[in-house]
Amino acid sequence: MGGRLKLLLDRLNGNEFWLKLAKNVSTIVVGQGGASALNMVTTFLSAGFLGAAGYGSLMIGQTFMQAVDAFLNFQSWQGVIRYGSICQERRDDAGLAATIKAGFFVDIASALMGCAVAFAIVPLVSSLLGWDDVSTLAATIFCFEIAVHVEGTPTGVLRLFDKFKYVAIHAVAVSALKLVLVAAVFYAVGPNVAAIAFAYCAADVLKSVSLFAIALFVVGKRVGLKGVAAARRRDLPRGFFSFTMWSNLAATADAPIQYFDVFFLSMLSSEVVGVFKFFKQLLSAFTLLSTPVQQAIMPQLAELMAKGQDDQAFAVVKKIERMVFKVVAPCAALAIIAVPPALSFFMDPVYGGYWHLFATLAALTVVSITFSALHPCFTAYGLSKQSAGITLLANVIYLIACYLLLGVIDIMAIPLAMGVQYALTIGLKSLFIKKVVLA
């Protein structure tokens, strides 16, 4: 074992790409690990005190905000990374400043628009899906935070300039603050869904504002705030707005599988939503591996592609997939065996009664995480338009499957439809890269 570890370290030291990737991933893992642990405590606290039904109402409100945010709030981080990497490779300082300025403009304008639309449609969506007053109030509260969701360019800037340490520290600090706020509200007010929604919202607002401030600090050091403010439209790399639009349409097309599960299940009951979201929150612990890979890999893939090394970029992705599966699959198997009985014993028997749902979601999580590097790779190739088309097709089929199966197999319709969506998205993207990009 020691020999293999030494061999791995020797290989890393001899390969700048993998050494840089390992350093960035390990930094994010530390930050995400701390943040995930704190968020898990917050989840247990919220679900335990509010109960499955109360937690379900809270999640309905939060998911409504996230869905509107996904549809209307354009995030420019992928464009900033792709075109920022090209500008750095060409030593085009004016183009880099113009890219960052354009990213900030897109973030701020779409955030304000998203917030206004969210407040306007809350009553309509609530009436259409038959939400109770508690869920509707929670959704209204969460709408406030969309106005400050300007995290696209800040995220892109910090990844572009390898400031993953800042991202890690920020993630832990915000998660700790959120836990403190939620605990304080439970102590002062008790199990009140609206009060907890305010605590969640306040923490998220501080998260967005502080990330924006950190990004401004980094931009000031690396590019200069005056240079960004004075950047001219003509210096912006050609294709930035088109790429950003299509990459956001891909994210928008992916919104159904990310958020509509809660909307479908809310037509059954708040308790079912609470169980489903609680399981997904627990399984999100596995993203401790996939999220760092996704965050760290795209800037380096974009750098390889800017140098014309397309084949090597895809080979890196396939190697990451094999490594991730070997780690995640055994952990998921242990979770399937241990978690449902533990939840039934320590929290509420209702969670243990849905063991089959947990097992299915765990298996889907393994698939999602294993192929997590494929999606930033596809985007880094500049295939934002194709990504939007593939994602839209897969999610239309997902929605049709949910609609047809929900009345037949109840809650299990959602994971079954998710499996179909995963298979289509992963299969079509892999096929396109092999048959078109690398042909």
Side-chain angles (χ1 to χ4, degrees):
M1 182 69 179
R4 289 184 178 180
L5 182 59
K6 185 177 184 301
L7 180 62
L8 177 60
L9 291 174
D10 289 340
R11 287 181 178 177
L12 286 176
N13 288 327
N15 189 309
E16 183 181 351
F17 179 91
W18 287 103
L19 181 63
K20 184 178 178 181
L21 179 60
K23 178 184 176 182
N24 289 338
V25 168
S26 61
T27 300
I28 299 173
V29 164
V30 172
Q32 290 288 340
S36 295
L38 292 167
N39 288 334
M40 199 62 66
V41 175
T42 303
T43 297
F44 273 102
L45 190 66
S46 301
F49 277 92
L50 294 176
Y55 185 68
S57 294
L58 180 70
M59 290 298 99
I60 288 172
Q62 185 182 56
T63 303
F64 169 79
M65 175 273 296
Q66 292 170 337
V68 174
D69 197 48
F71 275 106
L72 297 175
N73 189 357
F74 275 34
Q75 296 296 308
S76 58
W77 68 270
Q78 295 179 88
V80 169
I81 289 176
R82 173 171 169 76
Y83 289 95
S85 296
I86 293 173
C87 290
Q88 285 185 311
E89 185 67 23
R90 297 174 178 172
R91 301 187 184 281
D92 180 7
D93 294 336
L96 179 59
T99 298
I100 294 172
K101 181 178 181 178
F104 279 130
F105 172 78
V106 169
D107 291 348
I108 294 171
S110 61
L112 294 176
M113 179 181 67
C115 182
V117 172
F119 277 114
I121 67 173
V122 166
L124 175 64
V125 175
S126 174
S127 175
L128 183 65
L129 298 179
W131 293 348
D132 57 26
D133 292 340
V134 176
S135 300
T136 304
L137 178 59
T140 304
I141 293 169
F142 276 113
C143 288
F144 284 99
E145 69 176 80
I146 298 177
V148 295
H149 276 186
V150 288
E151 300 178 10
T153 297
T155 299
V157 164
L158 295 177
R159 295 178 187 176
L160 180 65
F161 295 137
D162 288 330
K163 298 301 181 182
F164 291 93
K165 182 178 179 181
Y166 292 176
V167 176
I169 295 172
H170 178 262
V172 174
V174 169
S175 296
L177 174 65
K178 187 174 185 177
L179 175 58
V180 170
L181 286 175
V182 170
V185 169
F186 274 125
Y187 179 79
V189 181
N192 184 290
V193 173
I196 299 304
F198 268 117
Y200 272 58
C201 186
D204 288 342
V205 167
L206 290 172
K207 173 188 174 185
S208 298
V209 172
S210 57
L211 188 67
F212 189 84
I214 294 170
L216 288 180
F217 172 78
V218 172
V219 170
K221 289 283 187 180
R222 296 294 296 267
V223 183
L225 294 178
K226 289 184 179 179
V228 171
R232 297 169 298 183
R233 171 69 177 82
R234 66 185 182 187
D235 292 324
L236 183 67
R238 184 179 179 183
F240 173 83
F241 283 116
S242 174
F243 178 86
T244 300
M245 181 189 73
W246 282 107
S247 60
N248 274 275
L249 286 176
T252 299
D254 202 35
I257 196 169
Q258 299 294 332
Y259 310 113
F260 282 27
D261 48 14
V262 169
F263 296 155
F264 278 114
L265 294 176
S266 69
M267 293 187 287
L268 299 178
S269 71
S270 295
E271 182 179 278
V272 168
V273 172
V275 171
F276 182 85
K277 286 295 290 184
F278 185 59
F279 283 167
K280 289 193 72 174
Q281 291 284 349
L282 292 181
L283 291 167
S284 69
F286 287 110
T287 61
L288 179 61
L289 180 61
S290 67
T291 301
V293 170
Q294 285 183 312
Q295 291 180 359
I297 194 67
M298 186 173 172
Q300 291 186 240
L301 291 176
E303 184 179 336
L304 285 177
M305 294 167 191
K307 296 177 180 178
Q309 300 175 10
D310 290 358
D311 290 346
Q312 185 177 345
F314 190 59
V316 166
V317 170
K318 302 310 292 184
K319 189 170 184 178
I320 289 173
E321 289 173 0
R322 293 191 294 269
M323 293 167 57
V324 169
F325 180 79
K326 290 178 182 178
V327 174
V328 174
C331 295
L334 290 174
I336 291 172
I337 296 171
V339 170
L343 293 177
S344 183
F345 181 79
F346 289 107
M347 292 191 65
D348 192 325
V350 69
Y351 293 111
Y354 285 99
W355 64 268
H356 53 295
L357 173 64
F358 182 85
T360 308
L361 290 175
L364 289 170
T365 301
V366 172
V367 174
S368 175
I369 293 175
T370 297
F371 294 95
S372 59
L374 174 65
H375 309 299
C377 175
F378 201 79
T379 302
Y381 278 124
L383 303 173
S384 55
K385 186 183 298 186
Q386 292 82 352
S387 179
I390 290 172
T391 305
L392 180 61
L393 171 65
N395 276 279
V396 167
I397 293 175
Y398 165 80
L399 290 174
I400 293 172
C402 286
Y403 178 78
L404 295 176
L405 296 174
L406 191 65
V408 180
I409 56 176
D410 205 55
I411 193 173
M412 292 304 294
I414 304 300
L416 180 59
M418 289 170 63
V420 173
Q421 195 271 357
Y422 285 4
L424 281 172
T425 304
I426 294 167
L428 290 176
K429 285 187 176 181
S430 298
L431 187 65
F432 193 92
I433 291 175
K434 293 176 182 177
K435 298 297 184 181
V436 178
V437 178
L438 304 180

